[in-house]
Amino acid sequence: METFGILRVSEVSTNKVKICSKNSGIFLSAMNVSPQLYKFPPDLQLEYMLYGVGKKFLICFHGFGQDHSVFEGLTPELPDYQIISINLLFHGKSDRNHAPKYLRHSEWKNILKGLLDELGIQRFSVLGYSMGGRYLASTLLSFRECIEHCIFIAPDGIVKRMSYEFATFSLGPQQLFRYFMNNPRPFFFFLNIIERTRLMNPWTIKFSRSQLKDPKQRYMVLRSWITLKKLRVRQNKLVAIINEVKFSTTFIFGKYDLIIAPKRHFKFLNKLQNTKVIILDTGHSNLVNESIPKISQQLNRIER
């Protein structure tokens, strides 16, 4: 048993899932120095970048407002891996048009399966940070027989956030949210009032202003939040999956994270078995960089 923070967690398991065969597909080349595009009919596309030349694969999903490059720093730390860093929808050239309002698990399963088939990948590890945690949880739901290791970094969607749930509620608030994103002045006026009354954490207000001051950022917030509303795995289902699989799972949080606060996840985390929980002395924004040594430690110990 190991203890991180106030949590009791179990040693990670190094058992492998036996359902999927070893990778027999193409060997991806690190000579691809520019992002690639995967197109899924009728009009969805995912932009992704390949880093490294290893024979094992790590699929990564970044957080809101970032892009594939946030995981480039993992390359020298994971020489046995090739990293497939995917731009989330509405980030970079990843886009989804003329589709149902919500991205659901069945659609994401078909999209990712198409990409995996195109790249010849049958077994892989997967990592998701913040908003990317929703993609990771959905991937775990549909591809757990093929996953070798799973790393959640301050994942969104496990514990409900009232601001998100209110903004994306289908009747009334969602239309108001859309209006504010297209007409931000009333929203910023509202933030000023909240700031003076001290009803919200000052850092959260500052973060909101920085994320929403640019029209492109507001477009990403609007499209991402609404599209991903249904891409969430309920806690009980996620607990059952993680406790059932043979591979190890790691959760990494920032002690001073005010966006995805670790203490709000303790009840969920204490239900998990064969899971490592790590709490680092950092906040939300720097968590990926601060997590690199821990990610390397977890992935490099597989099969050793």
Side-chain angles (χ1 to χ4, degrees), residues 230-290:
K230 303 295 184 181
L231 201 72
R232 179 177 180 269
V233 181
R234 294 184 180 275
Q235 281 193 25
N236 290 341
K237 179 66 174 178
L238 194 56
V239 168
I241 293 172
I242 292 174
N243 289 344
E244 173 189 300
V245 297
K246 300 294 194 298
F247 59 82
S248 56
T249 301
T250 301
F251 281 83
I252 303 176
F253 292 91
K255 182 178 180 180
Y256 306 108
D257 190 341
L258 300 177
I259 303 298
I260 309 292
K263 65 181 181 181
R264 297 194 64 215
H265 294 74
F266 287 170
K267 184 177 179 180
F268 162 77
L269 293 169
N270 279 322
K271 297 177 183 178
L272 302 178
Q273 303 168 7
N274 297 320
T275 299
K276 174 165 284 188
V277 178
I278 301 170
I279 300 179
L280 301 177
D281 289 330
T282 187
H284 191 75
S285 300
N286 296 324
L287 193 50
V288 171
N289 285 336
E290 295 294 330

Side-chain angles (χ1 to χ4, degrees), residues 46-146:
L46 286 181
E47 184 178 37
Y48 64 94
M49 187 70 179
L50 308 176
Y51 298 108
V53 294
K55 294 185 178 181
K56 294 188 286 187
F57 301 102
L58 173 64
I59 297 175
C60 295
F61 303 106
H62 60 74
F64 175 79
Q66 300 177 326
D67 63 22
H68 57 77
S69 64
V70 73
F71 296 114
E72 185 175 4
L74 282 171
T75 308
E77 304 298 325
L78 299 173
D80 295 333
Y81 282 84
Q82 186 151 175
I83 297 167
I84 300 92
S85 185
I86 299 175
N87 277 351
L88 306 188
L89 290 175
F90 318 117
H91 292 69
K93 294 182 179 179
S94 292
D95 208 354
R96 176 179 180 266
N97 294 308
H98 305 105
K101 178 188 292 186
Y102 303 121
L103 176 67
R104 298 181 184 272
H105 297 302
S106 57
E107 183 183 354
W108 176 245
K109 178 181 179 180
N110 291 332
I111 293 167
L112 186 58
K113 184 179 185 303
L115 177 61
L116 294 174
D117 288 346
E118 181 168 285
L119 298 178
I121 297 175
Q122 296 181 16
R123 292 186 61 79
F124 57 93
S125 294
V126 60
L127 181 157
Y129 164 65
S130 196
M131 182 177 284
R134 288 181 177 259
Y135 291 83
L136 169 51
S138 185
T139 300
L140 180 58
L141 177 68
S142 299
F143 295 92
R144 53 187 178 272
E145 297 88 355
C146 302

